[in-house]
Amino acid sequence: MSIQKSPIMMLMLALFLVLVGSTIWRIMTALETHPGMVVADAYETGERYGATLEKRQKLQEQGWKLELKIPEVVTHGIMQTYVAVSTKQEKRLNKADATAYFYRPLEMKHDFSLPMNRTNDGAYQLEVELPLKGRWDLLVEVSKGDFRQQNSARMFAQ
């Protein structure tokens, strides 16, 4: 009996090819999107993060909110609009400076930041084109004098 006439052998061959193909696809995806989360100064980074959380908690207790509006589908190579709105009890913060920081967890050489433009309704808006697909971290900072407010979002650009 030859291999072409045996349905069991053909099924096993098909299963083997599917497993090899899916393994190759997973390896390629992992190499493209690996976040590489190792930092040199882990303790200091943790301390700074704790201080940031304390400041954010104090601002929330005072009624401050910083809302980020990012595109539903983040796509690299296309101009997309990102909006930030800073409010305290539904009243928007005016005449502040806002900056958007875009970070790649693995490739720091692709990190960049841009100032956000104020809109007529008191929001802050930025149109930007992400140069690469994969994982991106967005940090928006709104500051006015000593007042500083931050919020972040994690995105995956297709």
Side-chain angles (χ1 to χ4, degrees):
M1 186 172 191
S2 67
I3 192 169
Q4 296 91 355
K5 293 184 182 180
S6 172
I8 300 288
M9 290 303 289
M10 294 303 287
L11 183 63
M12 289 175 62
L13 178 64
L15 179 62
F16 176 75
L17 293 175
V18 167
L19 289 174
V20 168
S22 63
T23 301
I24 291 171
W25 178 79
R26 288 183 62 179
I27 290 170
M28 289 174 22
T29 303
L31 291 175
E32 272 182 16
T33 61
H34 177 353
M37 303 303 268
V38 176
V39 292
D41 58 344
Y43 181 77
E44 289 83 7
T45 301
E47 290 290 320
R48 287 192 302 269
Y49 184 65
T52 300
L53 289 178
E54 284 179 29
K55 290 176 188 175
R56 181 181 293 171
Q57 181 65 29
K58 286 179 185 176
L59 289 174
Q60 286 177 346
E61 288 170 0
Q62 294 171 1
W64 285 101
K65 286 193 284 185
L66 180 58
E67 295 179 38
L68 300 180
K69 297 176 186 169
I70 62 174
E72 285 187 30
V73 178
V74 179
T75 307
H76 81 288
I78 296 176
M79 292 295 277
Q80 293 187 305
T81 303
Y82 298 82
V83 179
V85 180
S86 177
T87 59
K88 181 177 182 178
Q89 299 166 349
E90 304 303 320
K91 187 175 179 183
R92 293 188 175 189
L93 177 65
N94 291 322
K95 298 180 183 174
D97 297 320
T99 306
Y101 300 92
F102 291 86
Y103 298 108
R104 294 270 298 176
L106 177 61
E107 303 165 294
M108 292 188 301
K109 64 183 176 185
H110 297 292
D111 296 353
F112 63 95
S113 64
L114 295 168
M116 298 182 82
N117 302 316
R118 259 190 308 270
T119 61
N120 292 335
D121 62 351
Y124 302 92
Q125 180 176 319
L126 173 66
E127 285 197 24
V128 69
E129 176 182 333
L130 296 177
L132 299 170
K133 66 180 179 176
R135 177 82 49 213
W136 285 90
D137 292 333
L138 168 64
L139 174 71
V140 174
E141 180 178 272
V142 177
S143 60
K144 184 176 184 180
D146 290 337
F147 177 80
R148 177 168 289 140
Q149 189 177 20
Q150 295 178 337
N151 198 358
S152 62
R154 179 159 279 184
M155 309 171 292
F156 188 85
Q158 299 177 353

